[in-house]
Amino acid sequence: MSAPRTLQTAPARTAPFTVTAILVAATAIVVLSQLYGAIPLFAPVQSAFEVDSGAAAWVQGAFGIAYAVGFIAWGPLVDRAGPRRVMLIGLVALTVTTALTPFAPSFPWLIAGRVLQGAVAASFAPAAFAYLGARVASERRGLSISVLTSSFLASAVIGQIVAQAVVGALDWRWFFWGGAVLLVLGAAAIRIVFLPDLPALATSAHPFRVLGGLLARAPVLVLVLTTVLVLGPMIALYTAIGNTGVTEGNTLLALRASALPALIWAPFGNKWLGRVAPGRRLVGAFLIAAVASVSLLFVSGSVVGVGIAMFVLAAAVAVAAPAMIQVLAGYAPEARGSITALYTCALFLGASLAPSLVATADASIATTAVAAAIASAIGGGLVLLSQRRTPEN
């Protein structure tokens, strides 16, 4: 199979690490907060448009599915147009759709706006990964990617915290308008700070043919499907906890915030985690996530107990997410861009479908905890199955 179109990997200039890492992480949080921040908006949207809870959950699901599918289109475009250019185009388009979405006159129009938001927001992740891979010095590249991955995970909590605070103080629509302002600032900063795009290398391989070839490999297909289970169980449990009213107001806000350190610890533990092979690290993270999920059956009546269980679950997710992309890249080092597109698509598809499933089934914390534990255990088993012929992982 021919190598996919890639950016030049030895640029004459390298990006300043600290400002680049901070800017890409902050922008990632703003972009992804538009996905996860929808969870606290379910109740006010349900009231504003007089829809049931299952329908209201699609405020998050519609964005998320469009976001996940969008990676397949934006990933190849990044290779052709350049990551900085794609980031700027995507952020401008996301700013416009984010500002206009809350003006929706009816619920179907709101969902249409969320679909457009998700589709253009999908431009950021593949462009950010590509920019870091091309412009950050090789000795800092792994750390920069770990920072970006942790920012995506942190947004799962930060987005909910910000949205809940907005709902408590203002009309829910201000979550979108405030986000649009932050997106403008992010685009302006990237325009000023990021280095110009490098010329791309020519290739005869069609990008979608590359994707098809990767999915034809059994281990890659199994791992891509397993990636759906990395983030989905945690988001499902946060949805169930919020829906059941076990914790409310400031207590729920504190519960969500308490998991934030667990989601961003991975870059700081990078040296220690690197001593464990990615495959084993991934299996261990899935098993810890299963144990943390099932423990909610015994502590659901205690806010402290729920907080500890969710903290452990979040820490496991913070290990599993970067380990999964490392394992996948090991199967296709010649197609890292395409592998990243498949990985991010599956990761956020799981995160997007989970709240809708919980809301539609009106699932309790106990039911969701059992389902999350089973899903995580299956994830660990599938990773082991995919690596039967690659014991070095």
Side-chain angles (χ1 to χ4, degrees), residues 102-386:
F103 288 107
S106 65
F107 187 71
W109 278 106
L110 178 67
I111 296 302
R114 292 292 285 167
V115 169
L116 288 175
Q117 273 190 287
V120 295
S123 63
F124 182 78
F129 278 117
Y131 183 85
L132 296 178
R135 283 300 197 178
V136 173
S138 58
E139 65 272 15
R140 311 295 292 275
R141 196 170 296 153
L143 179 58
S144 68
I145 290 174
S146 183
V147 168
L148 177 59
T149 303
S150 292
S151 300
F152 287 144
L153 297 177
S155 66
V157 172
I158 294 174
Q160 294 184 65
I161 292 172
V162 172
Q164 185 177 333
V166 169
V167 169
L170 302 166
D171 184 272
W172 61 272
R173 294 170 178 83
W174 279 102
F175 172 73
F176 296 97
W177 293 327
V181 172
L182 294 177
L183 288 167
V184 167
L185 296 176
I190 286 173
R191 174 71 176 79
I192 295 168
V193 173
F194 279 22
L195 300 175
D197 289 320
L198 294 161
L201 299 176
T203 178
S204 59
H206 191 283
F208 295 108
R209 188 177 303 164
V210 174
L211 293 175
L214 291 173
L215 292 175
R217 305 181 190 181
V220 172
L221 177 60
V222 170
L223 288 169
V224 168
L225 293 175
T226 305
T227 302
V228 175
L229 306 176
V230 170
L231 199 49
M234 185 184 78
I235 300 302
L237 282 167
Y238 271 120
T239 303
I241 291 169
N243 288 350
T244 54
V246 173
T247 54
E248 297 179 347
N250 292 334
T251 303
L252 180 57
L253 194 65
L255 177 64
R256 285 169 169 153
S258 67
L260 188 57
L263 286 169
I264 62 175
W265 80 279
F268 303 100
N270 198 49
K271 191 177 211 179
W272 175 73
L273 290 171
R275 298 174 185 173
V276 182
R280 292 172 186 168
R281 199 187 318 153
L282 181 55
V283 172
F286 267 124
L287 294 180
I288 292 172
V291 172
S293 298
V294 81
S295 70
L296 285 166
L297 292 172
F298 307 100
V299 299
S300 59
S302 165
V303 174
V304 174
V306 170
I308 293 173
M310 293 304 295
F311 184 92
V312 174
L313 175 58
V317 170
V319 173
M324 179 64 86
I325 188 60
Q326 283 183 272
V327 174
L328 276 166
Y331 283 103
E334 81 287 0
R336 289 181 181 272
S338 297
I339 275 288
T340 300
L342 292 172
Y343 162 79
T344 46
C345 174
L347 183 72
F348 292 110
L349 186 62
S352 304
L353 292 176
S356 297
L357 293 174
V358 172
T360 301
D362 196 20
S364 64
I365 293 178
T367 301
T368 308
V370 170
I374 292 173
S376 296
I378 290 173
L382 289 174
V383 174
L384 287 173
L385 179 65
S386 73

